[in-house]
Amino acid sequence: MKDLFTEIWESVRRNKLRTCLTGFAVSWGIFMLIVLLGAGNGLMNSFMQGGGGFATNSVSVGGGWTSKPYDGLKAGRRIRLDDTDVALTGSDVFADHVDKVSATVGTNATVSYGRKYFSGYIDGQYPSAQEMSKVEIRYGRFLNDKDIRDSRKVVVMPESTAEKLLDSGQGVESLLGKYVKVGSLAFQVVGISKSDRMRNDNNLYAPFTTVKTVYGKGQEVGSISFTTKGLDTEAANEEFEKQYKAALNLHHRAAPDDERAVWVWNRAHQNVQMSQGRKILSTALWIIGLFTLLGGIVGVSNIMLITVKERTHEFGIRKAIGASPWDITKLIISESISITAFFGYIGMFLGMLTCMLLDKTLGQSTMSVMDEQVAMLVNPGVGLDVAVEATLVLIIAGTLAGFFPARKAASVRPIEALRAE
Amino acid sequence: MLIELKDVNKTYNNGQPLHVLKGINLGIDSGEFVSIMGASGSGKSTLLNILGILDNYDTGEYYIDGRLIKNLTEKQAADYRNRMIGFIFQSFNLISFKTAVENVELPLFYQGVSRHKRHEMAMQFLDRLGLADWAGHYPNEMSGGQKQRVAIARALITQPKIILADEPTGALDSKTSEEVMQLLGQLNKEDGVTIIVVTHESGVANCTDKIVHIKDGIIGKIEDNREHRASVFGINSTMK
């Protein structure tokens, strides 16, 4: 092995400038590949963060309008979800696939604290909403089971909402334990959550039971949310949705195959689309990167051809004193791989450095999309998997670049090679 | 018989077919010091290439030490060349970017001999040829005679059965030529190495013990030259 590297070094040393110029093309190719993939990852991460406000296995259900006449009732009837739907969702019928069930009911109300007030929306929720909607608590706590059981008058509000109730300069945590007026009633603030750019800022979370009782909603429920389990494929998700809709439709005397009587929004579908999008983007970037690299590989191949031409006489000597064709092939291919790998790794290193730089600059800046602040790139960069893949690409590329020149070198007959000058 | 050629024919087919060797029959014993002499175009180089397994022949048989050399794969040919034949060329054919000792080591490298061992052996051979001090020098730092001695060391290092020398003095002045021929003669006498020299110079041929004359692809006279009187210049004459 050491002998082989000595030989490669001897050869490369004689043609430093030529080797470096060729190597630059390879470095550039790998550099582009890494930067493209890194930026692509950053972009996808940014999308994911934007759409990541819900657990990927969560399903939301809402009432709709019937689209078919059924059981003596005409089409176009309004369906309102109620307690029975909630019970049905959590019943044994769907126990295989339904994990946690929560329902919401809400109403608009004026929220005030001291002289400050704003018009908000009171969202009656179950404790499980925290997980499903990924509510991040900054101070205090989220709603708990005791709040539900006792129908306590407590609220959890986002930071940005809390700020509206405070004079500037006051920390939002000072609101914890204080009472705010919601409509005509006083609710105690038990938690402050992190503001979510994707959701309405004016939403306050209160216990489901409290909102239902206080605002006289009777049996009516705004929406049902639940998390699913054991639904790994798209087909399984669709089958489950079909059965679930049929069950709810039946309860509301709507046709079992009526698609519009209740709305089911399953994030699993979105998730599949998202990961498909990610795959397509990354494939496209790989292709662009590989084509950029191709230029470098052609360059290396070209240089190896020239090297072989120049060294024909030397190979003739080597063959005369006992080098087999494979010895010669090995020499050329390993030289080609060494050049490709060496300059490739320089490119990879610089590419990763650039990704880090992107993270420090573009990664910190945000742009405004529909009045919401969205980071342009989130954690751009590539993982170890890409580094390993790129290494493989380099070795394959080096072998390819060296293959034809090596074959040419190995196939020259020793007497002809000895005659060459 | 170390080397045996039976009715060897060779034709080059470059446009006009050229029948270069027309039925060569030749036997060389182990320990002989032979020259093959002929004018240019006589087929002597082709014969040497076939003897050295650098080229193949069309019909006939060629045996080295009883082993038929025919239809070999490139790999086998390389292996036979490595183990059985040592080459000395007119233009030395040293690798320019390797030092003297590295050049001498090279045949052992292709045998897979360890780095340390082959270096040691190469130094021994260089020492024998009086070039130990020049081991670390590159070919372009040496004189023609020195280069040829490095090449001889390289040919000898695998302890081959045959040394093939193609115009070994062709690029040397008369004094160095004589030294080189004396060295080959000495190796033949002291170590019993079989040496075949191809030349067109009668002076060079005269240094050998047997002269094979080749003309137009046919072997003519085979002279016994143990008295070294074959040269037109006779005994004690200088070459060239």
Side-chain angles (χ1 to χ4, degrees):
Chain A
M1 210 54 188
K2 197 184 166 197
D3 294 313
L4 193 61
F5 280 116
T6 312
E7 295 269 12
I8 292 167
W9 175 238
E10 276 173 349
S11 169
V12 169
R13 200 181 49 185
R14 279 175 292 148
N15 300 300
K16 278 194 214 93
L17 179 66
R18 191 167 86 183
T19 311
C20 286
L21 287 175
T22 315
F24 174 76
V26 176
S27 294
W28 180 250
I30 283 286
F31 174 82
M32 287 307 287
L33 182 70
I34 297 289
V35 171
L36 278 175
L37 286 175
N41 277 344
L43 202 64
M44 283 314 288
N45 287 344
S46 153
F47 286 164
M48 287 296 212
Q49 201 180 53
F54 298 93
T56 52
N57 61 339
S58 73
V59 177
S60 295
V61 188
W65 277 268
T66 56
S67 62
K68 294 175 182 178
Y70 184 74
D71 200 12
L73 296 168
K74 64 176 167 44
R77 190 163 52 90
R78 175 81 194 258
I79 301 292
R80 288 177 197 276
L81 299 181
D82 59 28
D83 284 343
T84 318
D85 292 316
V86 180
L88 192 65
T89 308
S91 74
D92 293 343
V93 184
F94 299 111
D96 284 348
H97 295 306
V98 174
D99 200 9
K100 286 178 184 155
V101 183
S102 109
T104 65
V105 59
T107 186
N108 290 314
T110 305
V111 181
S112 62
Y113 179 67
R115 282 174 296 114
K116 300 235 172 185
Y117 67 92
F118 70 91
S119 179
Y121 181 83
I122 277 284
D123 200 0
Q125 291 276 14
Y126 279 95
S128 57
Q130 182 179 12
E131 194 188 314
M132 274 186 245
S133 305
K134 290 192 180 159
V135 179
E136 207 176 302
I137 292 295
R138 273 288 158 86
Y139 307 104
R141 61 173 176 84
F142 194 67
L143 307 171
N144 61 23
D145 292 334
K146 208 161 163 26
D147 297 333
I148 297 289
R149 205 164 52 239
D150 301 348
S151 301
R152 284 173 168 175
K153 290 199 278 296
V154 292
V155 288
V156 174
M157 62 174 79
E159 273 175 302
S160 52
T161 312
E163 278 161 12
K164 289 179 191 167
L165 297 175
L166 293 167
D167 291 322
S168 56
Q170 280 181 285
V172 286
E173 67 271 25
S174 66
L175 212 57
L176 273 184
K178 301 280 169 33
Y179 287 87
V180 293
K181 268 177 90 176
V182 179
S184 55
L185 296 165
F187 278 63
Q188 190 181 24
V189 179
V190 292
I192 308 283
S193 67
K194 189 183 165 195
S195 306
D196 189 335
R197 293 171 188 144
M198 295 299 282
R199 236 164 296 173
N200 196 341
D201 268 352
N202 295 340
N203 264 22
L204 281 73
Y205 299 107
F208 177 77
T209 46
T210 314
V211 177
K212 214 165 160 211
T213 317
V214 169
Y215 298 98
K217 293 283 184 182
Q219 292 281 303
E220 198 188 317
V221 172
S223 70
I224 302 171
S225 317
F226 58 90
T227 52
T228 58
K229 59 184 179 189
L231 295 173
D232 299 327
T233 62
E234 187 97 337
N237 272 296
E238 273 166 18
E239 180 58 28
F240 167 77
E241 281 166 36
K242 214 174 127 189
Q243 287 176 11
Y244 182 75
K245 275 184 185 170
L248 259 59
N249 284 359
L250 215 59
H251 167 63
H252 294 284
R253 290 176 69 192
D257 59 347
D258 194 334
E259 288 287 321
R260 302 194 190 166
V262 291
W263 289 105
V264 173
W265 187 30
N266 189 349
R267 270 115 199 161
H269 294 309
Q270 219 194 357
N271 202 37
V272 168
Q273 279 166 6
M274 204 72 156
S275 59
Q276 270 171 352
R278 198 187 185 109
K279 242 179 242 162
I280 291 167
L281 183 69
S282 118
T283 309
L285 293 179
W286 265 102
I287 290 170
I288 296 169
L290 287 180
F291 273 102
T292 315
L293 183 62
L294 193 66
I297 294 167
V298 170
V300 172
S301 199
N302 205 1
I303 280 302
M304 293 314 296
L305 274 175
I306 294 173
T307 302
V308 165
K309 186 97 188 147
E310 283 177 353
R311 293 176 70 184
T312 304
H313 184 70
E314 179 207 326
F315 291 149
I317 301 171
R318 285 174 188 267
K319 282 183 165 182
I321 62 175
S324 67
W326 170 238
D327 286 322
I328 305 292
T329 309
K330 201 166 65 180
L331 203 62
I332 297 298
I333 288 190
S334 46
E335 182 174 329
S336 166
I337 292 177
S338 302
I339 293 174
T340 318
F342 177 75
F343 286 100
Y345 272 104
I346 291 179
M348 205 187 293
F349 175 75
L350 291 177
M352 287 181 171
L353 218 63
T354 308
C355 281
M356 275 151 106
L357 209 69
L358 274 179
D359 194 18
K360 291 275 181 299
T361 53
L362 274 178
Q364 304 305 314
S365 65
T366 54
M367 55 185 174
S368 197
V369 177
M370 294 189 298
D371 287 341
E372 282 165 17
Q373 291 303 303
V374 178
M376 281 154 89
L377 296 174
V378 176
N379 290 329
V382 293
L384 197 66
D385 53 334
V386 172
V388 171
E389 281 162 4
T391 304
L392 271 176
V393 164
L394 283 175
I395 290 172
I396 294 169
T399 313
L400 278 179
F403 181 74
F404 293 102
R407 214 173 56 168
K408 195 178 162 185
S411 65
V412 176
R413 298 181 51 77
I415 37 167
E416 282 153 26
L418 279 172
R419 247 179 252 139
E421 204 43 72
Chain B
M1 282 284 152
L2 177 63
I3 287 177
E4 216 176 343
L5 291 162
K6 284 182 188 167
D7 195 28
V8 168
N9 283 277
K10 172 79 181 176
T11 304
Y12 286 119
N13 288 308
N14 295 332
Q16 191 79 10
L18 189 62
H19 198 177
V20 192
L21 297 181
K22 300 164 184 167
I24 299 284
N25 287 293
L26 183 65
I28 293 168
D29 267 324
S30 187
E32 279 194 277
F33 189 15
V34 186
S35 59
I36 296 171
M37 214 182 126
S40 60
S42 60
K44 63 181 195 303
S45 290
T46 308
L47 180 59
L48 184 91
N49 286 336
I50 288 170
L51 288 174
I53 330 180
L54 289 167
D55 205 349
N56 37 25
Y57 51 98
D58 301 327
T59 59
E61 282 163 350
Y62 169 33
Y63 295 93
I64 299 178
D65 215 5
R67 210 174 307 184
L68 180 65
I69 306 297
K70 197 167 193 179
N71 299 329
L72 300 179
T73 63
E74 282 270 355
K75 191 171 151 48
Q76 279 174 316
D79 191 50
Y80 283 2
R81 280 197 295 269
N82 184 271
R83 288 170 196 278
M84 301 201 281
I85 299 160
F87 288 98
I88 299 167
F89 301 96
Q90 176 177 5
S91 52
F92 323 123
N93 279 342
L94 298 175
I95 294 175
S96 60
F97 56 87
K98 288 182 181 289
T99 60
V101 68
E102 283 168 351
N103 266 291
V104 177
E105 276 179 42
L106 208 55
L108 292 181
F109 168 72
Y110 289 118
Q111 279 185 12
V113 176
S114 79
R115 205 178 175 69
H116 180 73
K117 177 100 188 291
R118 62 174 195 254
H119 185 76
E120 203 176 313
M121 283 180 74
M123 285 309 292
Q124 272 174 23
F125 277 88
L126 279 178
D127 194 31
R128 252 187 82 180
L129 295 172
L131 287 167
D133 293 342
W134 292 82
H137 287 257
Y138 289 94
N140 61 6
E141 297 163 347
M142 289 189 266
S143 72
Q146 285 171 323
K147 281 191 245 189
Q148 197 59 299
R149 275 187 286 161
V150 173
I152 292 170
R154 183 179 65 184
L156 289 172
I157 198 160
T158 56
Q159 285 148 343
K161 297 193 190 321
I162 316 153
I163 297 278
L164 292 178
D166 184 10
E167 303 276 8
T169 62
L172 303 173
D173 60 51
S174 56
K175 190 169 169 290
T176 325
S177 296
E178 206 157 342
E179 281 170 14
V180 166
M181 287 315 291
Q182 267 168 19
L183 179 63
L184 290 179
Q186 196 186 336
L187 286 168
N188 171 255
K189 281 189 188 61
E190 288 170 9
D191 298 14
V193 187
T194 313
I195 299 174
I196 302 172
V197 180
V198 167
T199 186
H200 66 273
E201 290 174 37
S202 52
V204 170
N206 190 35
C207 296
T208 63
D209 296 341
K210 188 167 150 185
I211 303 172
V212 177
H213 291 273
I214 183 167
K215 196 179 179 188
D216 299 328
I218 298 166
I219 290 189
K221 189 167 60 159
I222 297 180
E223 259 180 283
D224 185 341
N225 189 39
R226 271 171 288 191
E227 303 295 318
H228 300 291
R229 290 176 177 281
S231 168
V232 284
F233 305 109
I235 193 164
N236 293 331
S237 69
T238 51
M239 285 187 284
K240 298 196 181 179

